[in-house]
Amino acid sequence: MNVLLISCYELGHQPYGVASAGAHLLAGDRHQVECLDLAVEVLDEAKVRRANFVGISTPMHTAIRLGVKAGELVRGLNPQCHICYFGLYASLNEDYLLDGVADSVIGGEFETPLTQHVDRLADGGPSRPGGVSLAELRGPPNLSRQQFLPPARHLLPPLEKYARLRTSEGELRLVGYVEASRGCAHRCRHCPIPAVYEGRLRIVQQEVVLADIDNLVHMGAQHINFGDPDFLNGVKHSLGIVREMRNRHPDLSFDFTAKIEHLIQHRDAVMELAALGCVFVLSAVESVDDRILQYLDKGHTRDDVVAALEITRAAEVALRPSLLPFTPWTTLPGYLGLLEFVQDHDLVYQLDPVQYSIRLLLPPGSWLLDIPEIQPHVGSLIQEDFMYTWRHPDPRVDMLQRQVARVAEEAAGSGEDPATTFNRIKELALSTIHGQPTVARPRYRRRSARPPHLTEAWFC
């Protein structure tokens, strides 16, 4: 069977999902597999027309919004092909997808069931156009453990097409993205992962991760981005991988993501990972308002964020927080307090300005929808946007969010110094509070060099 796997957006890195699925599909020597990454490539109509099966990867919100548009284009070019959506957001939006452009949906651990599904179709099994009922196509996400294979990187565009690491010295390094685990042992309410994995963690076998890293180094990677939701969920597993990676490729740098509580709990591991080549850590700080952190069930407090900063700085590793500054419970003084926290802790150059503009996303299945504190604020489900609407009780907060988003977008396009952008955003906050234009006095240390960071800012 001719299979086309499509990725629409994966945070500026080579799309792991389609490469992993492609490896499993190729393993049985039954199918011809091609890939398209619409983040860096145009839609190849010839590939679409010769495909019997099109799989569209949906690991995140932006990906599914773009993925539905891609599916509609595919259906217009090739009405007879089978279209399957797979990944985290496919599970959360199963009904809408199946009622629309999708013939099937596979969530959770997708590689094995996706391969089995294509095998059945190749053997003449029923496809939805042949009459399978919608009820037969619906079901819970697959969370069974599977034996992974090294992703088929040869199916993808070269690393030069993707985001790079910019070092403190300004050097640009090619980046390879890998995953050592999926799912998460934690249940943060605003995160879509618990809605699918329900606190489960799935490990990618060490030899598979290391083989993937070897392949990426062969392709030119000089830095590895570990994309696990929390690299310290399985700390022994992660340390084992990084130790062996260091033995094989001593010049590789890397980064990872971890919860604030794990950075504190595994202080010694953070020190060792820094010695093994880690240059920055991403952590979902979200807020420094303890009340909001409780609603989100983040598992940390404002004081914990300060402690994690002390640990990472002792290890000489930059902590790069991701933020969720706009929620139904955000106040204008609270937003200003977040900006002052960033100033006081010298984080201006460790944050992409887009982080100051992020607004709470409520996808179908969000566990936040279950708490009474959010009920007065939630509106209707806008299914084509894959989210519930909500409105802040203070219209000035929503207005400020829109203004900050515009400033952050302009800054990303112009390459403006983050300190200049920060000051513009602070002036917006002060002007909104005081009801008149207000000048902010800078209270941060300007730097000639930024801490290491990727060249594409993080978006959901």
Side-chain angles (χ1 to χ4, degrees):
M1 181 172 282
N2 293 323
V3 177
L4 175 61
L5 301 174
I6 296 178
S7 173
C8 296
Y9 179 67
E10 282 201 24
L11 294 172
H13 57 71
Q14 251 193 354
Y16 179 93
V18 295
S20 183
H24 285 254
L25 286 162
L26 288 170
D29 292 325
R30 298 192 60 191
H31 312 295
Q32 294 76 48
V33 181
E34 296 181 291
C35 287
L36 269 177
D37 183 2
L38 298 182
V40 298
E41 298 178 295
V42 297
L43 186 72
D44 187 325
E45 294 187 5
K47 286 185 177 181
V48 172
R49 286 195 171 97
R50 63 175 168 258
N52 309 114
F53 181 100
V54 174
I56 301 177
S57 176
T58 57
M60 56 195 308
H61 184 255
T62 300
I64 194 169
R65 293 187 66 174
L66 296 173
V68 167
K69 295 177 182 178
E72 291 168 349
L73 290 173
V74 167
R75 185 65 79 204
L77 291 167
N78 186 349
Q80 299 306 312
C81 75
H82 183 103
I83 298 178
C84 174
Y85 286 81
F86 63 94
L88 187 69
Y89 268 78
S91 297
L92 297 175
N93 297 280
E94 178 184 63
D95 289 345
Y96 177 78
L97 293 171
L98 289 174
D99 288 340
V101 72
D103 296 311
S104 57
V105 169
I106 297 173
E109 300 297 282
F110 54 82
E111 289 88 348
T112 298
L114 179 65
T115 302
Q116 292 170 344
H117 186 39
V118 176
D119 287 345
R120 281 194 299 270
L121 294 174
D123 290 337
S127 177
R128 186 178 171 192
V132 173
S133 70
L134 292 180
E136 291 176 82
L137 292 165
R138 287 176 167 84
N142 173 56
L143 298 180
S144 60
R145 290 177 173 83
Q146 58 181 348
Q147 177 62 49
F148 289 89
L149 297 173
R153 300 284 179 180
H154 68 281
L155 298 174
L156 302 176
L159 296 179
E160 286 81 0
K161 293 278 189 179
Y162 297 94
R164 305 190 185 196
L165 175 80
R166 188 183 296 277
T167 68
S168 296
E169 296 74 31
E171 176 192 357
L172 290 175
R173 295 183 179 180
L174 292 180
V175 175
Y177 172 93
V178 303
E179 293 181 2
S181 65
R182 293 213 292 237
C184 186
H186 296 268
R187 298 167 179 257
C188 304
R189 290 193 183 105
H190 66 300
C191 178
I193 295 173
V196 174
Y197 282 85
E198 297 182 335
R200 296 177 180 89
L201 180 68
R202 294 294 176 257
I203 295 296
V204 181
Q205 291 79 21
Q206 178 173 313
E207 64 274 14
V208 173
V209 181
L210 290 168
D212 192 20
I213 293 170
D214 291 343
N215 290 339
L216 287 164
V217 171
H218 181 72
M219 295 170 66
Q222 302 160 291
H223 177 88
I224 296 297
N225 171 215
F226 285 100
D228 309 43
D230 189 329
F231 196 56
L232 300 183
N233 264 322
V235 65
K236 291 182 180 178
H237 173 63
S238 299
L239 281 171
I241 289 170
V242 174
R243 288 166 182 159
E244 180 56 26
M245 181 180 77
R246 184 71 165 185
N247 287 335
R248 298 184 188 188
H249 311 291
D251 295 328
L252 271 182
S253 59
F254 67 94
D255 68 86
F256 66 89
T257 298
K259 284 174 66 66
I260 290 294
E261 64 183 282
H262 281 169
L263 296 175
I264 297 171
Q265 180 183 356
H266 301 297
R267 178 190 301 255
D268 292 342
V270 173
M271 300 298 289
E272 181 177 355
L273 289 166
L276 291 169
C278 179
V279 293
F280 71 84
V281 178
L282 178 68
S283 189
V285 169
E286 314 298 27
S287 175
V288 292
D289 183 322
D290 286 344
R291 179 179 58 104
I292 294 175
L293 290 169
Q294 275 197 320
Y295 292 153
L296 301 179
D297 199 11
K298 281 301 301 177
H300 69 252
T301 64
R302 177 192 181 99
D303 289 344
D304 291 333
V305 178
V306 175
L309 281 167
E310 292 171 352
I311 290 167
T312 51
R313 284 176 174 159
E316 298 184 350
V317 171
L319 178 64
R320 297 185 62 80
S322 64
L323 299 178
L324 183 57
F326 289 97
T327 73
W329 312 289
T330 300
T331 64
L332 291 174
Y335 184 77
L336 183 61
L338 174 64
L339 298 180
E340 290 175 343
F341 182 95
V342 169
Q343 280 186 152
D344 294 343
H345 293 276
D346 197 20
L347 292 170
V348 169
Y349 286 91
Q350 289 173 220
L351 274 158
D352 293 312
V354 69
Q355 295 295 331
Y356 305 119
S357 71
I358 301 295
R359 192 173 190 270
L360 174 66
L361 178 69
L362 291 173
S366 171
W367 286 8
L368 266 183
L369 295 168
D370 296 333
I371 67 170
E373 290 84 359
I374 204 166
Q375 298 308 318
H377 311 289
V378 177
S380 58
L381 172 64
I382 308 299
Q383 187 60 80
E384 61 270 23
D385 289 335
F386 306 100
M387 64 181 185
Y388 285 86
T389 60
W390 63 267
R391 181 179 298 176
H392 197 280
D394 183 347
R396 295 177 301 164
V397 176
D398 285 336
M399 179 186 69
L400 176 61
Q401 188 276 329
R402 292 190 292 270
Q403 292 173 329
V404 172
R406 283 195 292 270
V407 168
E409 185 176 0
E410 291 168 4
S414 67
E416 183 176 74
D417 186 294
T420 301
T421 309
F422 176 87
N423 212 54
R424 292 170 63 197
I425 290 170
K426 188 175 182 184
E427 288 184 348
L428 280 175
L430 287 168
S431 299
T432 303
I433 290 171
H434 298 305
Q436 60 184 12
T438 305
V439 176
R441 295 182 179 180
R443 289 195 293 108
Y444 44 77
R445 183 161 51 92
R446 282 193 176 270
R447 297 184 182 182
S448 57
R450 293 174 62 184
H453 61 282
L454 298 180
T455 56
E456 180 161 331
W458 180 92
F459 289 88
C460 181

